């Protein structure tokens, strides 16, 4: 199993944002981070943000990294590639695992839980409904987002891939 | 953005190399073979590079993960792919390549190895960086410095998911992360095991400050 990135496929790295129109695949690997897929069915648009931390605390240097800045920045990039003023978005979110409960310094308030809460709060603020979730647990995930359908596949090592 | 100068990187690399000799000795004793732990270098990586520092992001990787507390805090990871990890178990158990999957025996062997190599490495580093350690007298009154690892936790997961966890604390503060990576040789042959030490953000800041302080 390797990083076989196809011509019509983009790998979204830690703290990154990817956007696509019409067709193709966006993919990311998650642990305690959250993958936020924003889908615009009518315009066949999708954005995928890999959120690392809950709050930017006012930082503006890495917008994809934080829940409160990643959502508006993904929306901004989607508006730009569609060249429209308004989007009707829905969201699917995955990740937020607590992978190493025994060795994590924030085991009492795991980063995965903090990220989940912050992403859900940010999506609510932007009135974006969450249509599917695949969250928590102790394992990492591969999140694969397909265009034009908006279908999201989740792969956990040792398990069958599921669709959400 | 935290950027280290070349002299700072060299100075830090020198410090981290102190651990290698003791870790090599501990691994040799444990395996009953000549083993060498080589600190490649310190790497200052952006987040994308960091999550791919042990290979492709999607590759399945095994890791024994330990938290580190004491003088510094952070994460230590003993990582390998399936084949290399199972080879380690066969070496330990004196078998001819019989392990094909991770059972209880194989997992325990890997974790115990991580524990032995990791502790030897940390003890050496703690003594090399006494200003980051609490002095602990032994029964003969000789003072040692210790950093304390948590018991290892074994995981088999995507490489990027494991490394994402390990660099999370530094990533919260900086856009680049500093990783000390060691590689291994058994009987002078390279094996695909890696030992990563990733200090958390506050420890890293302290360590870096110490490199810029004037030396007596």
């Amino acid at each position: 199993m390797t990083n076989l990135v196809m011509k019509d496929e983009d790998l979204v790295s830690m703290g990154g944002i990817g956007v696509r129109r019409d067709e193709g695949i966006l993919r990311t690997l998650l642990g305690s981070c959250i993958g936020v897929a924003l889908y615009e069915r009518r315009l066949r648009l999708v954005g995928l943000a890999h959120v690392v931390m809950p709050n930017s605390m006012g930082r503006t240097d890495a917008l994809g990294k934080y829940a409160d800045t990643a959502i508006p920045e993904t929306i901004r990039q989607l508006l730009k590639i569609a060249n429209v003023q308004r989007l009707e978005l829905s969201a699917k979110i995955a990740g937020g695992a607590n992978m190493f409960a025994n060795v994590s310094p924030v085991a009492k308030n795991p980063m995965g839980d903090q990220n989940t809460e912050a992403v859900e709060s940010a999506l609510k603020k932007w009135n974006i409904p969450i249509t599917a979730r695949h969250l928590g647990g102790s394992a990492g995930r591969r999140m694969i987002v397909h265009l034009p359908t908006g279908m999201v596949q989740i792969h956990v090592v040792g398990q069958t891939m599921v669709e959400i | 953005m935290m950027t280290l100068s070349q002299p700072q990187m060299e100075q830090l690399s020198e410090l981290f190399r102190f651990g290698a000799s003791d870790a090599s000795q501990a691994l040799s004793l444990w395996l009953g073979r000549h083993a060498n732990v080589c600190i490649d270098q310190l790497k200052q990586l952006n987040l994308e590079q960091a999550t791919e520092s042990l290979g492709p992001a999607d590759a399945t990787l095994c890791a024994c993960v330990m938290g580190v507390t004491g003088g510094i805090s952070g994460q230590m990871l003993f990582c390998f792919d399936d084949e290399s990890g199972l080879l380690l178990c066969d070496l330990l158990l004196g078998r001819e390549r019989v392990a094909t999957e991770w059972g209880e025996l194989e997992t325990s062997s890997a974790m115990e190895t991580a524990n032995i190599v990791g502790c030897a490495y940390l003890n050496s580093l703690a003594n090399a960086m006494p200003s980051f350690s609490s002095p602990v007298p032994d029964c003969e009154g000789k003072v040692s410095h210790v950093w304390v690892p948590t018991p290892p936790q074994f995981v088999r997961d995507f490489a990027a998911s494991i490394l994402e966890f390990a660099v999370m604390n530094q990533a919260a503060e900086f856009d680049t992360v500093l990783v000390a990576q060691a590689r291994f040789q058994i009987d002078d042959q390279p094996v695909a095991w890696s030992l990563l030490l990733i200090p958390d953000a506050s420890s890293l800041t302290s360590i870096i400050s110490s490199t810029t302080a004037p030396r007596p």
Side-chain angles (χ1 to χ4, degrees), chain A residues 1 3 11 13-14 27 29-33 50 52-53 59 61 65 99-100 102-103 105 139-140 142 155 157, chain B residues 48 51-52 56-60 65 67 75 150-151 153 155-158 160-161 164-165 167-168 171-172 174-175:
Chain A
M1 203 186 309
N3 279 353
L11 179 64
S13 59
M14 192 178 180
R27 190 165 60 93
L29 280 302
L30 302 162
S32 58
C33 296
H50 182 133
V52 181
M53 303 292 296
R59 288 177 210 172
D61 53 339
K65 198 163 136 183
M99 292 180 66
F100 299 98
N102 298 337
V103 301
R142 175 165 41 192
H155 185 206
V157 169
Chain B
E48 183 176 357
T51 53
E52 296 196 356
D58 286 46
T60 303
V65 182
Q75 316 290 338
T150 63
Q153 183 176 339
V155 67
R156 186 172 176 271
D157 213 317
F158 295 115
S161 301
E164 178 190 283
F165 158 79
V167 304
M168 178 69 75
F174 309 118
D175 290 332

Side-chain angles (χ1 to χ4, degrees), chain A residues 9 11 18 20 25 28 31 49-50 57 61-62 67 78 87 105 107 120 126 134 136 141-142 151:
Chain A
E9 179 177 326
L11 179 64
R20 287 197 78 105
I25 290 172
T28 197
H50 182 133
M57 312 290 268
D61 53 339
L78 288 170
L87 299 168
E120 290 183 340
W126 287 88
H134 198 281
R141 292 169 171 87
R142 175 165 41 192
M151 186 250 286

Side-chain angles (χ1 to χ4, degrees), chain A residues 64-94:
Chain A
K65 198 163 136 183
Y66 309 99
D68 59 333
T69 53
I71 309 296
E73 176 59 16
T74 308
I75 295 170
R76 189 192 68 76
Q77 292 189 22
L78 288 170
L79 287 168
K80 189 177 171 188
I81 62 162
N83 196 22
V84 294
Q85 300 296 315
R86 189 170 174 278
L87 299 168
E88 288 178 26
L89 294 168
S90 60
K92 293 182 180 181
I93 60 177

Side-chain angles (χ1 to χ4, degrees), chain B residues 7-61:
Chain B
Q8 280 179 305
M9 288 293 279
E10 282 167 15
Q11 202 178 337
L12 280 176
S13 296
E14 231 9 76
L15 285 175
F16 281 94
R17 281 194 190 102
F18 273 111
S21 170
D22 284 353
S24 299
Q25 218 169 13
L27 185 61
S28 294
L29 277 172
W30 173 241
L31 292 176
R33 288 166 180 261
H34 177 65
N36 194 19
V37 181
C38 338
I39 306 299
D40 276 356
Q41 56 182 338
L42 283 186
K43 295 176 183 171
Q44 190 168 19
L45 307 168
N46 64 37
L47 295 182
E48 183 176 357
Q49 291 169 328
T51 53
E52 296 196 356
S53 59
L54 292 180
D58 286 46
T60 303
L61 189 71

